[in-house]
Amino acid sequence: MNEPVDVLIIGGGASGAAVAWNLAETRMRIVCLEQGDWPRSQDFPSNGRDWETRQSEDYALSPNRRGGIADYPINDDGSPIKIANFNGVGGGTVFYAGHFPRMHPSDFRVRSLDGVADDWPIDYSTLEPFFEINDRMMGVSGLAGDPAYPKKEPPMPPIPLGHTGEMFGRAMNQLGWHWWPADTAINARAYEGRAPCINIGHCGHGCAQGAKAAVDVTYWQEAVRNRIEVRTRCRVSRIETNEDRMAVGAWYFDANGEEVFQPAEIVIIACNGIGTPRLLLNSACERFPNGLANSSGLVGKNLMLHPYAMARGRFDKQQDGFRGARGFMWSMEFYETDPQRGYVRGYCYQFTRGFGPATTAINGMADNLIPWGENHHDAFRHYFDHQAGMVSICEDLPEEINTVTLDPGLKDSNGIPAPRITYRIGENTQKMLDHSIARGTEILLAAGGTDIVTRSPLSHAGWHLLGTARMGKDPKRSVVNEWGRSHDVKNLFIVDGSVFVTSGGVNPTSTIQAVSLYISDQIKSRLHELFD
């Protein structure tokens, strides 16, 4: 058994890193258990000519495809959207594109505004100071003055729009629709010892330049300097409790496959919307027969995945191709509810550049644009560096039928039951997807696009994992309270996207980190009452 610690954090991704950094000033002894290892920039696909091949192999988004030593299998046969995650220090921020919007004020008041789902027990103004801290810590590039948001001041100027952004900006102006340079967690200039973006376009599978703000190069660097211990290749199997219904630590398998117990006074879970319910359900015991922190029966329910739709076209003028940061421009034109559209809530557009050569050829064949054999090269030249488009990130309302449960047969390499996903796209979201395809096509046509291709939903875009351990004041309708503490286990906290009450229609990382900073701030101010 290890020496006891004051705080045990399970998971070293976006939320776990932010919590560790924020709690470091307390001088408590803090250990983070991470089932993966530290990423090494020299291993990233962008260091070699085979980068496109490796993005579908050892750096694939799906853990089932990747099959690394730190990965656990996920049964997502029951979902049209397949799960994407990464296990290692930095978590999903190693693989994300750095697109960094905040949730909007309306996202926290969905019940009050639209009569659906539930309101959050906190609001945008509660999180606003933590958004600002997070922008500074991560290093966000953007342009102040976006009318879609309350006032905010990104610490760096925006990422260049490039030829593609300028073209879409003109088209949006012609249509009279909102657009703005995106907030991006990518350095527009040198920032806090990290180099600026050099526009090689490999943001989504590890940034060897270090310009993208993955938390292994931001929060964790400062946290480790402040004596936080990160213990890698430690796969947590279950959280232990005592007769007082308090968490006393966690069992984990170390790099040698030995099961070890880590005692702790406070346990914080930061394992994402799939890993967190899996751990809670695997921690079932005589005191908690339905899973830890699950008196409400809501652990693993209300899974939200943000269905994506895609539209792209071909343009006569050469575009940026795959070069340049992948997050550079957004539109919130269709974000807020408009009853005339026939659905509630909305979505944002993230505008996208083109693809690398291999991906252009493969997608072109799948879309019947580039034939195999005769005329292949002529068709390839016609499309390569001449395509661009957008994806829509659609709000996913919580439904209890969308679940994470334990698979009865599938297990990871340590014998721990794997998660099973049961998920369907709701009627409201489907209408939203259809609307986004129709309006996206209008944008492409206004920009001069031809050979327009659409897909809805994107099947391998399950990278936003939310809602499976929701926050709320009523213990019968939530898993944690308004400051992240379990209703059932008074020294157990959850800080990742599983606490989301609603999903919003934007990428969630910025909000996940703001929530985790808020919860850890609450822990610091309430230490005297945690064990009352």
Side-chain angles (χ1 to χ4, degrees), residues 430-449:
Q430 185 59 58
K431 291 179 179 179
M432 201 182 301
L433 287 164
D434 295 343
H435 185 275
S436 73
I437 288 291
R439 300 294 80 74
T441 300
E442 286 187 57
I443 296 169
L444 292 170
L445 291 171

PDB file of all heavy atoms in Angstrom, residues 430-449:
ATOM      1  N   GLN A 430     -32.135  15.686 -34.670  1.00  0.00           N
ATOM      2  CA  GLN A 430     -32.161  15.341 -36.084  1.00  0.00           C
ATOM      3  C   GLN A 430     -32.641  16.515 -36.932  1.00  0.00           C
ATOM      4  O   GLN A 430     -32.091  16.793 -38.006  1.00  0.00           O
ATOM      5  CB  GLN A 430     -33.065  14.127 -36.322  1.00  0.00           C
ATOM      6  CG  GLN A 430     -33.049  13.619 -37.758  1.00  0.00           C
ATOM      7  CD  GLN A 430     -31.661  13.213 -38.213  1.00  0.00           C
ATOM      8  OE1 GLN A 430     -31.026  12.351 -37.604  1.00  0.00           O
ATOM      9  NE2 GLN A 430     -31.162  13.850 -39.260  1.00  0.00           N
ATOM     10  N   LYS A 431     -33.640  17.228 -36.450  1.00  0.00           N
ATOM     11  CA  LYS A 431     -34.103  18.420 -37.166  1.00  0.00           C
ATOM     12  C   LYS A 431     -32.997  19.472 -37.238  1.00  0.00           C
ATOM     13  O   LYS A 431     -32.843  20.174 -38.245  1.00  0.00           O
ATOM     14  CB  LYS A 431     -35.340  18.994 -36.479  1.00  0.00           C
ATOM     15  CG  LYS A 431     -36.594  18.131 -36.601  1.00  0.00           C
ATOM     16  CD  LYS A 431     -37.762  18.772 -35.859  1.00  0.00           C
ATOM     17  CE  LYS A 431     -39.026  17.923 -35.999  1.00  0.00           C
ATOM     18  NZ  LYS A 431     -40.175  18.524 -35.253  1.00  0.00           N
ATOM     19  N   MET A 432     -32.237  19.586 -36.168  1.00  0.00           N
ATOM     20  CA  MET A 432     -31.123  20.525 -36.123  1.00  0.00           C
ATOM     21  C   MET A 432     -30.045  20.146 -37.144  1.00  0.00           C
ATOM     22  O   MET A 432     -29.518  20.995 -37.871  1.00  0.00           O
ATOM     23  CB  MET A 432     -30.558  20.533 -34.709  1.00  0.00           C
ATOM     24  CG  MET A 432     -29.765  21.754 -34.328  1.00  0.00           C
ATOM     25  SD  MET A 432     -29.113  21.601 -32.642  1.00  0.00           S
ATOM     26  CE  MET A 432     -30.613  21.387 -31.691  1.00  0.00           C
ATOM     27  N   LEU A 433     -29.722  18.859 -37.201  1.00  0.00           N
ATOM     28  CA  LEU A 433     -28.753  18.374 -38.181  1.00  0.00           C
ATOM     29  C   LEU A 433     -29.203  18.696 -39.603  1.00  0.00           C
ATOM     30  O   LEU A 433     -28.427  19.187 -40.428  1.00  0.00           O
ATOM     31  CB  LEU A 433     -28.549  16.867 -38.021  1.00  0.00           C
ATOM     32  CG  LEU A 433     -27.749  16.392 -36.806  1.00  0.00           C
ATOM     33  CD1 LEU A 433     -27.962  14.896 -36.581  1.00  0.00           C
ATOM     34  CD2 LEU A 433     -26.261  16.684 -36.980  1.00  0.00           C
ATOM     35  N   ASP A 434     -30.471  18.413 -39.886  1.00  0.00           N
ATOM     36  CA  ASP A 434     -31.001  18.672 -41.232  1.00  0.00           C
ATOM     37  C   ASP A 434     -30.933  20.160 -41.561  1.00  0.00           C
ATOM     38  O   ASP A 434     -30.574  20.541 -42.683  1.00  0.00           O
ATOM     39  CB  ASP A 434     -32.446  18.173 -41.326  1.00  0.00           C
ATOM     40  CG  ASP A 434     -32.577  16.666 -41.178  1.00  0.00           C
ATOM     41  OD1 ASP A 434     -31.556  15.967 -41.322  1.00  0.00           O
ATOM     42  OD2 ASP A 434     -33.701  16.200 -40.894  1.00  0.00           O
ATOM     43  N   HIS A 435     -31.286  20.998 -40.600  1.00  0.00           N
ATOM     44  CA  HIS A 435     -31.242  22.441 -40.805  1.00  0.00           C
ATOM     45  C   HIS A 435     -29.810  22.894 -41.095  1.00  0.00           C
ATOM     46  O   HIS A 435     -29.573  23.730 -41.990  1.00  0.00           O
ATOM     47  CB  HIS A 435     -31.796  23.157 -39.570  1.00  0.00           C
ATOM     48  CG  HIS A 435     -31.906  24.636 -39.713  1.00  0.00           C
ATOM     49  ND1 HIS A 435     -30.852  25.486 -39.459  1.00  0.00           N
ATOM     50  CD2 HIS A 435     -32.950  25.427 -40.077  1.00  0.00           C
ATOM     51  CE1 HIS A 435     -31.239  26.740 -39.660  1.00  0.00           C
ATOM     52  NE2 HIS A 435     -32.512  26.740 -40.029  1.00  0.00           N
ATOM     53  N   SER A 436     -28.853  22.343 -40.364  1.00  0.00           N
ATOM     54  CA  SER A 436     -27.461  22.761 -40.542  1.00  0.00           C
ATOM     55  C   SER A 436     -26.911  22.344 -41.900  1.00  0.00           C
ATOM     56  O   SER A 436     -26.092  23.064 -42.488  1.00  0.00           O
ATOM     57  CB  SER A 436     -26.587  22.193 -39.412  1.00  0.00           C
ATOM     58  OG  SER A 436     -26.364  20.803 -39.554  1.00  0.00           O
ATOM     59  N   ILE A 437     -27.359  21.218 -42.414  1.00  0.00           N
ATOM     60  CA  ILE A 437     -26.939  20.801 -43.757  1.00  0.00           C
ATOM     61  C   ILE A 437     -27.502  21.759 -44.805  1.00  0.00           C
ATOM     62  O   ILE A 437     -26.807  22.189 -45.740  1.00  0.00           O
ATOM     63  CB  ILE A 437     -27.389  19.359 -44.038  1.00  0.00           C
ATOM     64  CG1 ILE A 437     -26.560  18.359 -43.221  1.00  0.00           C
ATOM     65  CG2 ILE A 437     -27.303  19.039 -45.525  1.00  0.00           C
ATOM     66  CD1 ILE A 437     -25.122  18.244 -43.649  1.00  0.00           C
ATOM     67  N   ALA A 438     -28.771  22.121 -44.659  1.00  0.00           N
ATOM     68  CA  ALA A 438     -29.409  23.019 -45.628  1.00  0.00           C
ATOM     69  C   ALA A 438     -28.746  24.389 -45.625  1.00  0.00           C
ATOM     70  O   ALA A 438     -28.447  24.965 -46.684  1.00  0.00           O
ATOM     71  CB  ALA A 438     -30.901  23.136 -45.331  1.00  0.00           C
ATOM     72  N   ARG A 439     -28.498  24.953 -44.431  1.00  0.00           N
ATOM     73  CA  ARG A 439     -27.883  26.278 -44.371  1.00  0.00           C
ATOM     74  C   ARG A 439     -26.405  26.204 -44.773  1.00  0.00           C
ATOM     75  O   ARG A 439     -25.887  27.137 -45.393  1.00  0.00           O
ATOM     76  CB  ARG A 439     -28.016  26.849 -42.949  1.00  0.00           C
ATOM     77  CG  ARG A 439     -29.426  27.021 -42.426  1.00  0.00           C
ATOM     78  CD  ARG A 439     -30.239  28.063 -43.164  1.00  0.00           C
ATOM     79  NE  ARG A 439     -30.793  27.585 -44.422  1.00  0.00           N
ATOM     80  CZ  ARG A 439     -31.821  26.741 -44.524  1.00  0.00           C
ATOM     81  NH1 ARG A 439     -32.422  26.249 -43.453  1.00  0.00           N
ATOM     82  NH2 ARG A 439     -32.258  26.360 -45.720  1.00  0.00           N
ATOM     83  N   GLY A 440     -25.734  25.125 -44.422  1.00  0.00           N
ATOM     84  CA  GLY A 440     -24.345  24.965 -44.832  1.00  0.00           C
ATOM     85  C   GLY A 440     -24.212  24.907 -46.340  1.00  0.00           C
ATOM     86  O   GLY A 440     -23.270  25.466 -46.915  1.00  0.00           O
ATOM     87  N   THR A 441     -25.144  24.256 -47.001  1.00  0.00           N
ATOM     88  CA  THR A 441     -25.142  24.214 -48.459  1.00  0.00           C
ATOM     89  C   THR A 441     -25.320  25.616 -49.034  1.00  0.00           C
ATOM     90  O   THR A 441     -24.667  25.987 -50.021  1.00  0.00           O
ATOM     91  CB  THR A 441     -26.252  23.277 -48.955  1.00  0.00           C
ATOM     92  OG1 THR A 441     -26.025  21.954 -48.429  1.00  0.00           O
ATOM     93  CG2 THR A 441     -26.289  23.208 -50.475  1.00  0.00           C
ATOM     94  N   GLU A 442     -26.193  26.416 -48.414  1.00  0.00           N
ATOM     95  CA  GLU A 442     -26.372  27.802 -48.853  1.00  0.00           C
ATOM     96  C   GLU A 442     -25.065  28.584 -48.755  1.00  0.00           C
ATOM     97  O   GLU A 442     -24.726  29.382 -49.639  1.00  0.00           O
ATOM     98  CB  GLU A 442     -27.438  28.493 -48.006  1.00  0.00           C
ATOM     99  CG  GLU A 442     -28.866  28.068 -48.293  1.00  0.00           C
ATOM    100  CD  GLU A 442     -29.855  28.927 -47.514  1.00  0.00           C
ATOM    101  OE1 GLU A 442     -29.823  30.164 -47.675  1.00  0.00           O
ATOM    102  OE2 GLU A 442     -30.636  28.358 -46.733  1.00  0.00           O
ATOM    103  N   ILE A 443     -24.333  28.386 -47.667  1.00  0.00           N
ATOM    104  CA  ILE A 443     -23.067  29.092 -47.486  1.00  0.00           C
ATOM    105  C   ILE A 443     -22.076  28.692 -48.566  1.00  0.00           C
ATOM    106  O   ILE A 443     -21.398  29.549 -49.173  1.00  0.00           O
ATOM    107  CB  ILE A 443     -22.494  28.815 -46.085  1.00  0.00           C
ATOM    108  CG1 ILE A 443     -23.425  29.370 -45.003  1.00  0.00           C
ATOM    109  CG2 ILE A 443     -21.095  29.423 -45.939  1.00  0.00           C
ATOM    110  CD1 ILE A 443     -23.079  28.910 -43.601  1.00  0.00           C
ATOM    111  N   LEU A 444     -21.976  27.399 -48.830  1.00  0.00           N
ATOM    112  CA  LEU A 444     -21.037  26.920 -49.834  1.00  0.00           C
ATOM    113  C   LEU A 444     -21.380  27.469 -51.218  1.00  0.00           C
ATOM    114  O   LEU A 444     -20.490  27.886 -51.974  1.00  0.00           O
ATOM    115  CB  LEU A 444     -21.033  25.387 -49.855  1.00  0.00           C
ATOM    116  CG  LEU A 444     -20.454  24.710 -48.608  1.00  0.00           C
ATOM    117  CD1 LEU A 444     -20.728  23.214 -48.641  1.00  0.00           C
ATOM    118  CD2 LEU A 444     -18.956  24.978 -48.486  1.00  0.00           C
ATOM    119  N   LEU A 445     -22.654  27.501 -51.552  1.00  0.00           N
ATOM    120  CA  LEU A 445     -23.063  28.049 -52.842  1.00  0.00           C
ATOM    121  C   LEU A 445     -22.757  29.541 -52.925  1.00  0.00           C
ATOM    122  O   LEU A 445     -22.297  30.044 -53.961  1.00  0.00           O
ATOM    123  CB  LEU A 445     -24.558  27.790 -53.065  1.00  0.00           C
ATOM    124  CG  LEU A 445     -24.960  26.331 -53.292  1.00  0.00           C
ATOM    125  CD1 LEU A 445     -26.483  26.186 -53.289  1.00  0.00           C
ATOM    126  CD2 LEU A 445     -24.372  25.802 -54.605  1.00  0.00           C
ATOM    127  N   ALA A 446     -23.002  30.258 -51.814  1.00  0.00           N
ATOM    128  CA  ALA A 446     -22.705  31.694 -51.807  1.00  0.00           C
ATOM    129  C   ALA A 446     -21.209  31.953 -51.974  1.00  0.00           C
ATOM    130  O   ALA A 446     -20.811  32.998 -52.520  1.00  0.00           O
ATOM    131  CB  ALA A 446     -23.202  32.320 -50.506  1.00  0.00           C
ATOM    132  N   ALA A 447     -20.393  31.021 -51.518  1.00  0.00           N
ATOM    133  CA  ALA A 447     -18.941  31.154 -51.645  1.00  0.00           C
ATOM    134  C   ALA A 447     -18.427  30.692 -53.003  1.00  0.00           C
ATOM    135  O   ALA A 447     -17.224  30.785 -53.264  1.00  0.00           O
ATOM    136  CB  ALA A 447     -18.256  30.373 -50.527  1.00  0.00           C
ATOM    137  N   GLY A 448     -19.326  30.175 -53.838  1.00  0.00           N
ATOM    138  CA  GLY A 448     -18.919  29.708 -55.160  1.00  0.00           C
ATOM    139  C   GLY A 448     -18.591  28.229 -55.214  1.00  0.00           C
ATOM    140  O   GLY A 448     -17.941  27.772 -56.166  1.00  0.00           O
ATOM    141  N   GLY A 449     -19.048  27.472 -54.246  1.00  0.00           N
ATOM    142  CA  GLY A 449     -18.737  26.065 -54.190  1.00  0.00           C
ATOM    143  C   GLY A 449     -19.540  25.225 -55.184  1.00  0.00           C
ATOM    144  O   GLY A 449     -20.685  25.545 -55.511  1.00  0.00           O
TER     145      GLY A 449
END
